[in-house]
Amino acid sequence: MTGVDHSGWADYLLGAVDDRREVAAIAAQIDGGLSIEDGYAIQAALLEKHLARGDGVAGAKLGLTSAAKQKQMGVSEPCYGWVLESSVARASGGAAVDVAVGELIHPRAEPELIFVLGEDLAGPGVTASDVLDATAAVVGGIELIDSRYEAFSFTLADVIADNTSAARMVVGADGIGPRDADLTTLGCLFEVDGQITGTATGAALLGDPAACVAMLANHLGREGQALREGWIIPAGAPCDAQRLAAGGRASARYSHLGAVAVRGV
Ligand code: OOG
Ligand code: MG
């Protein structure tokens, strides 16, 4: 690893969150750019700072696991990040969950298939079938991503440093057992402000959402870390993220999982 100041860049990103302002991407400011390893080291330093402020870990997430998202963001590989306790909102019934968009910089909404773990899951060697065995429920959700970078533009290492743009995670109320439906054919219809902006099935997530979660468990396993019982694991958006403004509404309707909606306030 190079002489990149991981803690300093984590402070830089935390400052952007606190001040609700976009900042220049990091890689372009470093001679030779930013490596993926340095990106994860900045992400780890950022997590430590959130925990030191009293936040907790509610789960871990995947990003850029669909062709739609990779194309939208111009990045061709998946990434992994953390779901903070303070970011999670739980939907009750079918009511839309209010999200205070003024607390964010330039939020975008995207649908998420979320695995709720009933057991720890530690890589290496975790398979999609192991993921289903360790899963208590699969629920639908909507993530509000909010890149801290100018114009929502970044390299893979930048978005990793920025905890994969994580900002808010709305978790649906109606779960199913992991083998109650074929997750690869489970459908999602995403609507923003009354317009259908995307449709997809679970297979949009690298062929199988459970395989995505296995990749995440194996990634953490390489760092000596594990996914924990009770954590929520969003597998990544199967279709494009859309700007959510105050007064705007996004809804994700899933087969088997019901609907989840958010309202920008
Ligand atoms: C990166 C975050 C990606 C997903 O589901 O693909 C992500 C971004 O698009 O800003 O959470
Ligand atoms: Mg996401």
Side-chain angles (χ1 to χ4, degrees), residues 3 5 9 19 37-38 43 45 68 91-92 110 161 189 199 229:
D5 176 6
W9 287 113
D19 301 346
E37 290 71 23
D38 281 320
Q43 183 193 95
S92 66
E110 59 184 25
L189 186 147
T199 58
E229 176 189 352

Side-chain angles (χ1 to χ4, degrees), residues 88-139:
V88 177
R90 303 205 181 249
S92 66
V97 174
D98 287 349
V99 176
V101 289
E103 294 176 2
L104 304 172
I105 304 165
H106 41 201
R108 295 180 180 180
E110 59 184 25
E112 290 284 349
L113 267 186
I114 301 175
F115 290 71
V116 182
L117 293 187
E119 292 169 24
D120 291 356
L121 201 49
V126 172
T127 64
S129 170
D130 296 333
V131 169
L132 297 180
D133 289 343
T135 298
V138 176
V139 297

Side-chain angles (χ1 to χ4, degrees), residues 187-190 196-201 204 238-239:
C188 169
L189 186 147
F190 193 52
I196 296 173
T197 62
T199 58
T201 62
C239 45

Side-chain angles (χ1 to χ4, degrees), residues 61-64 69 110-112 143 145 164 169 234-237:
K61 59 167 280 196
L62 291 120
L64 307 176
K69 283 284 310 195
E110 59 184 25
E112 290 284 349
E143 180 175 26
I145 53 171
T164 65
M169 192 66 68

